[in-house]
Amino acid sequence: DTGVSQNPRHKITKRGQNVTFRCDPISEHNRLYWYRQTLGQGPEFLTYFQNEAQLEKSRLLSDRFSAERPKGSFSTLEIQRTEQGDSAMYLCASSSGQGYMGRGYTFGSGTRLTVV
Amino acid sequence: AQSVTQLDSHVSVSEGTPVLLRCNYSSSYSPSLFWYVQHPNKGLQLLLKYTSAATLVKGINGFEAEFKKSETSFHLTKPSAHMSDAAEYFCVVTSFSGGYNKLIFGAGTRLAVHP
């Protein structure tokens, strides 16, 4: 198992374009999270999946953002009509659901989005 | 609501000297607290965690942290800094609701280590 994989590592896009990021969690983890990290700040929670169900969405996730996790495996995060304020590092994490805090989060290396 | 405040945005130390990264927390219940480290172009790595067992928690790479309820603090220390410790460090508290844990991050402390 190679951990949590995120693709692409970097994405540069023009304002107004749509972008999609992919996250492949650790295979036995049923919980998947997306976080966003802007320059000089700590990561902020965006959304949470348990298996294929999206159970919570942060108010940070505007209508232009959509996340899916078909079949409870990989997840995608799509941003429509990108704005310069969307420039950030998008982090994915996964965890198992066993016990309090499960076995902890494992984070991917992130996708860095730059909107020009 | 749960939150953490990292008291220093930047800390600079000389190699071989002690490291102290300060964190205060706010929680409406007994918290779980963590320190994560982020090296450039790498993912977040868990250094250590406190989950209501021993108040002095030992982590990887010689780091440790002490939970002080009376001071609502969870400061990270290391006796002797190494060049490889240069990175961004995040203090984290959990928010538990709906049967799962959400991580609440501080703004981070950038640690520089000089020869």
Side-chain angles (χ1 to χ4, degrees), chain B residues 28-99:
Chain B
S28 54
Y29 49 79
S30 182
S32 289
L33 293 159
F34 306 79
W35 277 96
Y36 277 83
V37 61
Q38 187 176 40
H39 288 92
N41 301 316
K42 292 191 176 180
L44 286 158
Q45 181 182 21
L46 179 67
L47 276 179
L48 49 81
K49 64 180 179 181
Y50 165 76
T51 55
S52 75
T55 56
L56 183 62
V57 182
K58 295 189 183 298
I60 62 172
N61 300 335
F63 284 94
E64 62 182 36
E66 185 171 8
F67 174 74
K68 292 187 176 180
K69 185 175 181 179
S70 61
E71 299 177 9
T72 62
S73 69
F74 190 59
H75 301 334
L76 181 70
T77 60
K78 183 174 181 177
S80 177
H82 191 272
M83 296 294 291
S84 61
D85 294 329
E88 188 89 19
Y89 291 80
F90 294 98
C91 183
V92 180
V93 66
T94 56
S95 172
F96 183 73
S97 66

Side-chain angles (χ1 to χ4, degrees), chain A residues 9-10 31 33 35 37 40-45 48 50 55-56 89 91 99-105 107-109, chain B residues 29-32 34 36 38 41-44 49 51 90 94 96-108:
Chain A
R9 293 293 303 274
H10 299 91
R31 301 181 176 195
Y33 315 79
Y35 285 75
Q37 184 178 15
Q41 297 298 317
E44 296 174 291
F45 171 80
Y48 161 66
Q50 184 164 319
L55 299 185
E56 184 173 348
M89 176 75 84
L91 295 165
Y100 183 65
M101 271 303 296
R103 297 192 182 279
Y105 279 46
F107 279 90
S109 297
Chain B
Y29 49 79
S30 182
S32 289
F34 306 79
Y36 277 83
Q38 187 176 40
N41 301 316
K42 292 191 176 180
L44 286 158
K49 64 180 179 181
T51 55
F90 294 98
T94 56
F96 183 73
S97 66
Y100 76 100
N101 289 286
K102 181 166 55 182
L103 300 185
I104 311 296
F105 285 77

Side-chain angles (χ1 to χ4, degrees), chain A residues 53-64:
Chain A
Q54 187 175 21
L55 299 185
E56 184 173 348
K57 292 172 60 174
S58 163
R59 59 182 172 78
L60 294 175
L61 220 60
S62 74
D63 291 343
R64 296 184 297 105

